[in-house]
């Protein structure tokens, strides 16, 4: 794709356009300019037939106000009785173009002015929605095509995915009750229902068979035995004496391993080995503590990197504990990686369960959460029963033959499916503008 500088005055208001626009670049100005051009240049489209979708109620309200203000400015410019000065470059260009056409009898400025007056009168009912407001309107107006119940209620407080996540997490916590180390790691990572519930946005990716998370079988090291071996070799006084002596003889690079770091490292390692017990009762945070920057300072690899290369090997402090503790660090790193793989497996398991359970919730209740509204509309448009899915897409295109999607970088796969299916520009010549800031995605 070849990127071009946006010229809102000359851009062709047909087909599909992806417009990169970040804060402070005149994004709202350009959206209202495109709305104005569509209204004037595409006379077959009614004022409420231009769909504008954004992602907050506040943004929707602001866009409505800004569009109305732009319409008033344009009306005043085209109204020959008002003789208003034209400062807006977009309006000035449109006025000049259509005035020339009017002089040749091809268009009527009076009709354009009347069209703008109509749009101003309808400004409160312009089709500027949040994504949820848009889906809610579709479900209420096209209940038959979407398969929604006619008495469907919408409730922003309902989030079935959270209820399902809470139940899933209760069951999984019970299953892992005997695996204290993994449970401690999950607690340190703050894993709970709040992590799983938002995964519902990835349902379509999972349905399509795409791999969402790397998930490999556990190959967990015997951290308990490795740590117990290090504990038996740990003599804080002896090890400290060796490290302090090496530091005093400048065996270490003083800039890389200062005396204060040695003191903190000894304290950190001492706390770990002395609090470790075979019954796992003090395992909470163990992996994170082992991987702490100070604990790692007594690992053999860490020490070796900070040795002065000009020194003889005989001058380097040695102790069986240094190698044993490096083994503990390596095991902790492997555990952390494998626990993340195990967590990915839980995410995939939850998504599979969620897909089934959400369908049960939707079919057994007349209340839809905001997320359910998006899912229901998307599923209706992607239904294998093309008789209904194509009719729904046709109805939406008929009501809104042009669309602008603001904050497009925040559009998830479900939302993208809705707009790409309705406004399939390879099949239907509908103007579609996708506007957003990829740096914020």
């Amino acid at each position: 794709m070849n990127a071009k500088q946006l010229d809102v005055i000359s851009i062709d208001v047909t087909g599909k356009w992806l417009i990169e626009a970040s804060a402070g670049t005149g994004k709202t100005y350009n959206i209202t300019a495109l709305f104005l051009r569509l209204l004037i240049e595409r006379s077959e489209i009614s004022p409420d037939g231009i769909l504008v979708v954004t992602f907050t109620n506040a943004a929707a309200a602001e866009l409505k106000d800004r569009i109305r203000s732009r319409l008033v400015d344009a009306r005043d410019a085209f109204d020959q009785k008002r003789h208003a000065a034209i400062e807006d470059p977009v309006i000035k260009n449109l006025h000049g173009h259509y005035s020339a056409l009017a002089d040749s009898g091809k268009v009527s400025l009076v009709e354009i002015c009347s069209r703008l007056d109509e749009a101003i009168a309808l400004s409160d009912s312009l089709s500027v929605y949040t994504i949820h407001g848009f889906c809610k309107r579709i479900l209420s107006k096209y209940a038959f095509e979407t398969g929604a119940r006619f008495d469907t209620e919408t409730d922003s407080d309902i989030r079935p995915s959270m209820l399902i996540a809470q139940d899933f997490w209760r069951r999984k916590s019970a299953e892992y009750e005997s695996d204290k180390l993994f449970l401690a790691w999950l607690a340190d990572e703050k894993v709970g229902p709040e992590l799983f519930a938002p995964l519902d946005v990835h349902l379509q990716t999972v349905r399509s068979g795409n791999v969402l998370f790397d998930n490999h079988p556990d190959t967990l090291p015997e951290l308990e035995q490795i740590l117990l071996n290090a504990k038996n070799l740990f003599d804080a006084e002896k090890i400290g004496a060796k490290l302090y002596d090496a530091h005093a003889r400048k065996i270490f690079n003083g800039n890389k391993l200062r005396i204060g770091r040695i003191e903190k490292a000894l304290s950190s390692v001492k706390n770990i080995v002395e609090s470790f017990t075979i019954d796992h009762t003090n395992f909470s945070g163990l992996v994170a503590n082992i991987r702490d920057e100070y604990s790692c300072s007594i690992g053999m690899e860490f020490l070796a990197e900070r040795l002065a290369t000009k020194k003889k090997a005989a001058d380097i402090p040695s102790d069986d504990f240094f190698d044993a503790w490096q083994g503990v660090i390596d095991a902790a790193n492997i555990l952390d990686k494998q626990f993340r793989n195990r967590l990915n497996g839980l995410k995939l398991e939850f998504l599979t369960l969620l897909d089934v359970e959400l369908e049960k919730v939707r079919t057994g209740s007349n209340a839809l959460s905001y997320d359910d509204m998006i899912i229901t509309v998307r599923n209706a448009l992607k239904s294998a029963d093309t008789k209904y899915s194509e009719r729904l897409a046709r109805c939406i295109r008929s009501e809104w033959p042009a669309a602008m999607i603001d904050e497009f970088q925040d559009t998830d796969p479900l939302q993208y499916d809705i707009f790409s299916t309705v406004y399939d520009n390879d099949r239907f010549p509908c103007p579609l503008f996708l506007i957003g800031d990829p740096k914020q995605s």
Side-chain angles (χ1 to χ4, degrees), residues 262-294:
I262 294 176
E263 292 171 353
K264 289 182 179 180
L266 280 169
S267 176
S268 181
V269 173
K270 181 179 180 181
N271 288 337
I272 293 172
V273 296
E274 289 185 353
S275 65
F276 170 69
T277 55
I278 297 298
D279 63 5
H280 293 182
T281 56
N282 295 310
F283 257 12
S284 180
L286 179 62
V287 172
N289 289 337
I290 291 172
R291 300 173 74 238
D292 172 83
E293 60 174 321
Y294 293 113

Side-chain angles (χ1 to χ4, degrees), residues 376-429:
T376 303
V377 172
R378 182 267 167 202
N379 287 349
L381 286 166
K382 288 293 187 179
S383 170
D385 190 342
T386 56
K387 175 183 177 182
Y388 293 104
S389 59
E390 291 184 359
R391 183 164 70 186
L392 175 60
R394 192 163 56 248
C395 287
I396 296 173
R397 281 193 303 275
S398 177
E399 183 165 358
W400 297 290
M404 288 184 276
I405 314 302
D406 185 24
E407 303 291 354
F408 183 68
Q409 76 279 355
D410 293 328
T411 301
D412 65 34
L414 293 173
Q415 296 164 18
Y416 179 77
D417 272 352
I418 292 173
F419 298 117
S420 63
T421 302
V422 173
Y423 299 102
D424 183 347
N425 287 107
D426 292 334
R427 300 170 60 195
F428 311 107

Side-chain angles (χ1 to χ4, degrees), residues 122-225:
L122 294 173
S123 58
D124 286 340
S125 58
L126 293 178
S127 300
V128 182
Y129 300 110
T130 63
I131 180 62
H132 301 107
F134 171 64
C135 290
K136 181 177 180 179
R137 180 175 173 85
I138 292 175
L139 291 171
S140 62
K141 187 167 185 178
Y142 303 109
F144 187 74
E145 288 80 3
T146 58
R149 292 171 57 161
F150 288 96
D151 59 347
T152 292
E153 301 173 359
T154 56
D155 187 343
S156 61
D157 294 328
I158 299 174
R159 187 174 179 109
S161 55
M162 176 55 77
L163 298 177
I164 296 168
Q166 289 170 343
D167 181 66
F168 174 80
W169 186 241
R170 278 192 295 270
R171 289 189 289 104
K172 285 300 168 183
S173 296
E175 286 182 26
Y176 288 114
E177 187 175 0
S178 61
D179 195 341
K180 302 295 184 183
L181 184 55
F182 184 48
L183 282 180
W185 182 88
L186 290 171
D188 290 332
E189 293 292 319
K190 297 180 172 57
V191 175
E194 296 77 14
L195 172 72
F196 291 97
L199 295 176
D200 53 9
V201 300
H202 298 299
L203 276 173
Q204 180 52 33
T205 305
V206 173
R207 291 191 192 106
S208 65
N210 295 326
V211 176
L212 193 63
F213 306 107
D214 290 329
N215 178 32
H216 306 289
D218 285 347
T219 54
L220 301 180
E222 292 294 333
L223 179 62
E224 179 180 318
Q225 187 57 48

Side-chain angles (χ1 to χ4, degrees), residues 4-67:
K4 299 179 180 179
Q5 185 70 29
L6 173 65
D7 183 351
V8 75
I9 293 176
S10 63
I11 188 173
D12 183 13
V13 287
T14 61
K16 181 187 293 185
W17 291 93
L18 178 61
I19 299 175
E20 180 178 340
S22 56
T25 60
K27 182 180 69 169
T28 303
Y29 174 90
N30 288 326
I31 291 175
T32 58
L34 290 171
F35 188 99
L36 182 60
R37 286 194 56 200
L38 285 167
L39 185 68
I40 293 176
E41 298 178 29
R42 301 293 297 269
S43 58
E44 75 279 9
I45 302 176
S46 65
D48 59 354
I50 303 172
L51 174 67
V52 182
V53 177
T54 187
F55 280 82
T56 67
N57 289 320
E62 181 190 2
L63 271 174
K64 269 192 177 182
D65 287 343
R66 297 284 288 275
I67 289 171

